[in-house]
Amino acid sequence: MLSMKSGPAQSSIAGKHALSDGAASSPVPSAVRPRRLRHTPTLRAMVRETQLACDDLIYPLFITHGTGVRNPIASMPGVFQISVDQLAQEAEELAMLDIPAVMLFGLPATKDPIGVENFADDGIVQQAIRALKQANAELVVATDVCLCEYTDHGHCGILNDPEEQHAHLAKGYVLNDETLDVLGKVALSHAGAGADIVAPSGMMDGMVGAIRTALDSQDFSHIPIMSYAVKYASGFYGPFREAADGAPKFGDRKTHQMDPANAREALREAAIDVQEGADFLMVKPALAYLDVIHRLRSHFAELPLVAYNVSGEYAMIKAAVAKGWLDEETVVLEKLIGIKRAGADLIITYHAKDAARWLSR
Ligand code: PBG
């Protein structure tokens, strides 16, 4: 680092310039000076290329049975599992913060191999949808459509039993087409309860088409599908699995979620979902996959692109902030603008409320 006391070095630099002739008045040999446009806050705002606004944000909510419940998630400070009676207040707070949308995850009362509460009329998410829409009809309610929070085995689909089902597939293999039937039922049930958007997250082949067919068959052709089109088998979902109690009891999700090494395959996944009628595409997680967001942005420019800034990405910042190692407002706004700069239109993030507060200052 240069110190003010480095007298000899400074004077020798100054001396050199003093000795050179015409160049002396222009130590930078160019008229091009990008710093001119950074000189004042107003100038910087005028030339800012990417904007982050409250209406880019989608706030995830974890809904649980009971009344008066607000269970903190240890690995996600500031995030709670909440009961349905808390949702009116939640909707009011989100409206005040100008956050337009939520993504709902449900914790069922009991779990079973199929997850029947997932498509029950009085299921936890169905109750939550009604409560939120009653509190604020303007709030856009999106719902996660997957099996893992509802199944006793914690997997995202129906599991194979080689003796009864597919002899040539392993025991416990997540069955694709059997799962599609359940996903269709869940999406219909959510739409019936008043959801504005359904968001299948299980990475089953054909999930968008199956859900589109199910919705259209019951006069829900107006309900858009936000496809978790490009979802990687990621370690960054760790804290979420505590929050949503959806960890697999054995094995992993690598036979359906994508390999983190693959980007061309992301284009293939997205192309299939576009063809099946997806209305939004999503990349998940966000930060280790900014290049994938960028590729989808350029290949599928016509569709709104969503990035899921996942639980582990939230937890890392929260942990470093708690230790005093990072300034929360600076790094959160920096990463959110980074996700937008990469090409996302919308960001699902647990930081949404804090970000909205900082943005509206
Ligand atoms: C599956 C689902 C997961 C997340 C969203 N939907 C977990 C998984 O696939 O294992 C992760 C979200 C996060 O980490 O914030 N229903």
Side-chain angles (χ1 to χ4, degrees):
M1 221 169 112
L2 272 181
S3 114
M4 292 305 288
K5 286 193 181 148
S6 58
Q10 277 194 343
S11 61
S12 84
I13 291 168
K16 197 169 149 199
H17 286 303
L19 286 177
S20 58
D21 46 21
S25 58
S26 178
V28 177
S30 166
V32 180
R33 289 175 182 265
R35 287 187 59 189
R36 283 183 199 122
L37 298 184
R38 299 178 200 141
H39 202 71
T40 70
T42 314
L43 265 173
R44 292 196 290 275
M46 286 169 68
V47 300
R48 190 160 293 136
E49 297 172 28
T50 310
Q51 310 295 333
L52 177 67
C54 296
D55 58 13
D56 301 330
L57 305 172
I58 300 173
Y59 187 59
L61 288 174
F62 299 99
I63 321 295
T64 192
H65 286 274
T67 41
V69 184
R70 256 190 115 72
N71 291 333
I73 312 300
S75 53
M76 300 175 72
V79 176
F80 301 83
Q81 297 169 342
I82 57 175
S83 50
V84 172
D85 60 299
Q86 308 288 302
L87 290 174
Q89 188 194 323
E90 200 68 41
E92 193 183 322
E93 193 184 349
L94 293 167
M96 267 170 39
L97 292 168
D98 285 327
I99 296 173
V102 292
M103 176 68 79
L104 300 187
F105 298 93
L107 290 102
T110 53
K111 303 190 185 220
D112 56 76
I114 297 169
V116 294
E117 189 180 322
N118 212 352
F119 47 90
D121 266 353
D122 59 348
I124 191 67
V125 162
Q126 290 78 355
Q127 291 182 37
I129 297 165
R130 289 190 201 101
L132 286 166
K133 295 303 285 188
Q134 196 182 345
N136 178 8
E138 300 287 297
L139 181 72
V140 171
V141 176
T143 59
D144 187 84
V145 175
C146 192
L147 272 59
C148 58
E149 293 111 29
Y150 290 83
T151 50
D152 51 9
H153 44 71
H155 280 286
C156 305
I158 305 287
L159 300 186
N160 187 44
D161 176 352
E163 303 201 341
E164 307 222 335
Q165 293 152 295
H166 301 267
H168 48 285
L169 290 171
K171 186 172 171 58
Y173 180 78
V174 177
L175 295 173
N176 198 88
D177 298 9
E178 288 82 346
T179 301
L180 294 182
D181 293 340
V182 182
L183 293 177
K185 280 190 192 170
V186 175
L188 259 182
S189 175
H190 290 177
D196 298 289
I197 300 174
V198 292
S201 65
M203 290 296 282
M204 294 298 114
D205 291 337
M207 65 183 184
V208 172
I211 288 174
R212 187 72 274 155
T213 304
L215 290 173
D216 293 357
S217 74
Q218 302 287 321
D219 209 16
F220 289 111
S221 54
H222 59 291
I223 298 295
I225 300 174
M226 179 184 284
S227 178
Y228 288 67
V230 179
K231 177 172 176 182
Y232 288 91
S234 170
F236 289 102
Y237 307 148
F240 172 94
R241 292 181 184 170
E242 178 197 344
D245 189 26
K249 298 284 179 293
F250 63 89
D252 55 40
R253 309 214 199 284
K254 290 181 182 167
T255 69
H256 46 103
Q257 298 181 347
M258 277 183 56
D259 182 337
N262 294 358
R264 281 180 284 126
E265 190 188 355
L267 300 180
R268 186 179 190 217
E269 282 284 2
I272 294 167
D273 286 9
V274 170
Q275 201 187 356
E276 291 178 17
D279 299 282
F280 301 80
L281 294 174
M282 192 193 303
V283 174
K284 175 184 175 188
L287 294 181
Y289 302 91
L290 292 174
D291 60 318
V292 178
I293 293 174
H294 187 68
R295 284 181 207 219
L296 255 72
R297 166 81 295 151
S298 43
H299 279 79
F300 302 96
E302 69 276 24
L303 262 75
L305 183 58
V306 187
Y308 200 138
N309 177 214
V310 300
S311 58
E313 299 171 330
Y314 176 84
M316 289 193 299
I317 286 187
K318 283 292 186 180
V321 166
K323 285 192 175 284
W325 291 348
L326 289 174
D327 178 66
E328 187 171 15
E329 176 174 343
T330 309
V331 295
V332 169
L333 293 178
E334 182 176 337
K335 79 165 172 175
L336 295 178
I337 203 82
I339 294 168
K340 284 212 70 185
R341 195 190 62 243
D345 299 298
L346 297 164
I347 307 173
I348 304 173
T349 180
Y350 306 97
H351 299 288
K353 286 183 181 175
D354 288 331
R357 273 183 214 109
W358 296 322
L359 288 170
S360 60
R361 261 200 219 131

